[in-house]
Amino acid sequence: MSAPAGSPISEDLLLRIYRVAVLTRALDHQLWLLTRQGRAGFVLTGRGHEIAQIASAATLRRGHDSAWPYYRDMGVGLALGVTPYEILLGALARAADPHSGGRQLTMHLSSPSLRIGSVSSAIAAHLPHAVGAAYAARVRGDDSVAVCWFGDGAASEGATHEAMNLAGVHRLPVVFICENNGIAISVPLALQMPVERVSDRAAAYAMPGVSVDGTDAETVYTVTRAAVERARGGEGPSLLELRVPRITPHSSQDDDAYRSDAQRAAAAAADPLPRLRETLVERGLLGLDEDEGMVRAAREQVIADEDLALAMPDPAPERARRWLHAGDPPHGGAVLPARYAGWAGVFGD
């Protein structure tokens, strides 16, 4: 079966989205093992969100548009060109971590070269930052778009209202993407908002809002690309709601006891990776043997990165207060393994 006529996404890009999703899942799995071994302190991942994250990130102009992910957005990071090795350096609190020097929780990215804004542990704190970046783009006269990802729990924070209100008033080039898994840590959606969908709130900010199946790569890519182009064309902000399952507990320190066995099983059954794999196989873009090889290679790659990261030194105590104020010497960052030469995530290498 070939791609449907008028498919918004090329076959090559669809395959690249899947390849990055497989790598993201392999890294996700290994991070949970590391925390159970006592090597990684605290892990939050987005298992079930990967396709939504990667397909939406694929619409950006990499290194030109600014990206504002939250702590669950491993797929966004890898799609934009962050390597699994870098994420492991951070998770293992190694000095060479180029994003925080090993002084943050897992997945707290920060990359000036990729224009990834610093991830905050405070829920929704990054939405005003994204709006600020959009406002700065207007002041500078460039055509960059700020794209901001957040969870449904963040949608009920005051900072979210302030950010969307300001973006609506000034019609700023920003795209708000809510990864709605229906549960804010342990609170179900019905107990944190009086409307059925997050996208219902868009009208209050005079921006279009759309709610789609976040496990469908082609739909996610289509609606995100339209919103990014709309913002770049001067037509203002948009609110996208991508409905996704959360397959794991909130974090490695959460027992997930607030969900029933049936709810956890339903989330696992909605896993977006088998769905995209089936699409690729049906269209003749991926063979089953090729898929098995891809999964195996991703695991081997992540384990090789883990071995390298474990061999790196811990941060020196005397640098604990460095890089907090202007004037500090630059952080040296990581020397990436040779296999990442030219690595550009979902944008190809």
Side-chain angles (χ1 to χ4, degrees):
M1 186 176 73
S2 60
S7 175
I9 188 168
S10 70
E11 293 178 341
D12 177 61
L13 178 55
L14 202 58
L15 192 56
R16 279 186 274 132
I17 289 171
Y18 181 67
R19 183 176 288 113
V20 175
V22 168
L23 183 59
T24 304
R25 183 63 62 88
L27 179 56
D28 175 315
H29 177 76
Q30 204 62 25
L31 286 172
W32 281 79
L33 288 181
L34 284 168
T35 192
R36 295 306 184 234
Q37 293 168 354
R39 290 172 161 171
F42 191 79
V43 166
L44 303 120
T45 63
R47 195 178 303 178
H49 294 216
E50 297 97 331
I51 298 301
Q53 295 171 356
I54 298 162
S56 57
T59 66
L60 273 66
R61 291 183 187 173
R62 178 174 174 266
H64 179 73
D65 295 327
S66 63
W68 302 88
Y70 76 120
Y71 51 74
R72 217 178 283 287
D73 280 324
M74 190 188 303
V76 172
L78 294 187
L80 293 175
V82 176
T83 66
Y85 177 59
E86 293 170 69
I87 292 173
L88 284 160
L89 285 172
L92 295 167
R94 293 309 197 250
D97 167 23
H99 298 272
S100 73
R103 298 182 296 184
Q104 268 282 19
L105 297 175
T106 305
M107 273 305 302
H108 279 54
L109 305 177
S110 180
S111 172
S113 62
L114 294 174
R115 300 208 69 199
I116 298 176
S118 297
V119 171
S120 171
S121 297
I123 304 298
H126 62 306
L127 274 78
H129 300 169
V131 172
Y135 188 82
R138 173 171 295 175
V139 171
R140 291 195 305 264
D142 68 42
D143 67 348
S144 68
V145 175
V147 181
C148 181
W149 291 262
F150 55 98
D152 47 290
S156 296
E157 288 282 349
T160 300
H161 163 69
E162 295 167 17
M164 292 185 181
N165 187 60
L166 191 66
V169 167
H170 294 283
R171 299 184 62 76
L172 295 173
V174 55
V175 178
F176 299 100
I177 300 178
C178 179
E179 300 170 37
N180 182 2
N181 59 36
I183 189 165
I185 301 182
S186 61
V187 181
L189 195 68
L191 294 181
Q192 59 148 331
M193 61 176 62
V195 292
E196 183 179 356
R197 299 195 183 284
V198 175
S199 59
D200 292 342
R201 294 177 167 177
Y205 306 110
M207 66 178 77
V210 62
S211 178
V212 300
D213 180 356
T215 68
D216 184 327
E218 291 170 294
T219 297
V220 169
Y221 181 82
T222 299
V223 298
T224 311
R225 186 178 66 173
V228 168
E229 289 179 353
R230 182 177 182 276
R232 204 183 310 282
E235 297 180 64
S238 300
L239 172 58
L240 310 181
E241 177 183 15
L242 310 181
R243 303 188 305 275
V244 294
R246 195 188 84 193
I247 297 175
T248 62
H250 165 66
S251 75
S252 55
Q253 269 60 32
D254 173 23
D255 63 8
D256 212 12
Y258 42 82
R259 291 199 289 186
S260 67
D261 290 342
Q263 288 172 322
R264 286 190 287 272
D271 189 342
L273 267 66
R275 174 178 179 171
L276 181 52
R277 178 175 61 239
E278 184 177 349
T279 297
L280 293 168
V281 170
E282 286 180 350
R283 295 181 185 176
L285 303 175
L286 180 71
L288 293 177
D289 290 345
E290 184 183 1
D291 178 56
E292 290 178 5
M294 185 188 300
V295 171
R296 183 169 56 251
R299 289 175 178 165
E300 292 172 353
Q301 176 180 339
V302 168
I303 290 172
D305 285 351
E306 177 189 305
D307 290 341
L308 283 175
L310 284 168
M312 297 300 289
D314 294 331
E318 59 269 21
R319 46 161 248 179
R321 295 183 180 178
R322 295 180 77 178
W323 309 308
L324 297 176
H325 305 287
D328 284 349
H331 174 40
V335 177
L336 296 178
R339 60 178 161 273
Y340 291 117
W343 166 251
V346 77
F347 297 87
D349 55 18

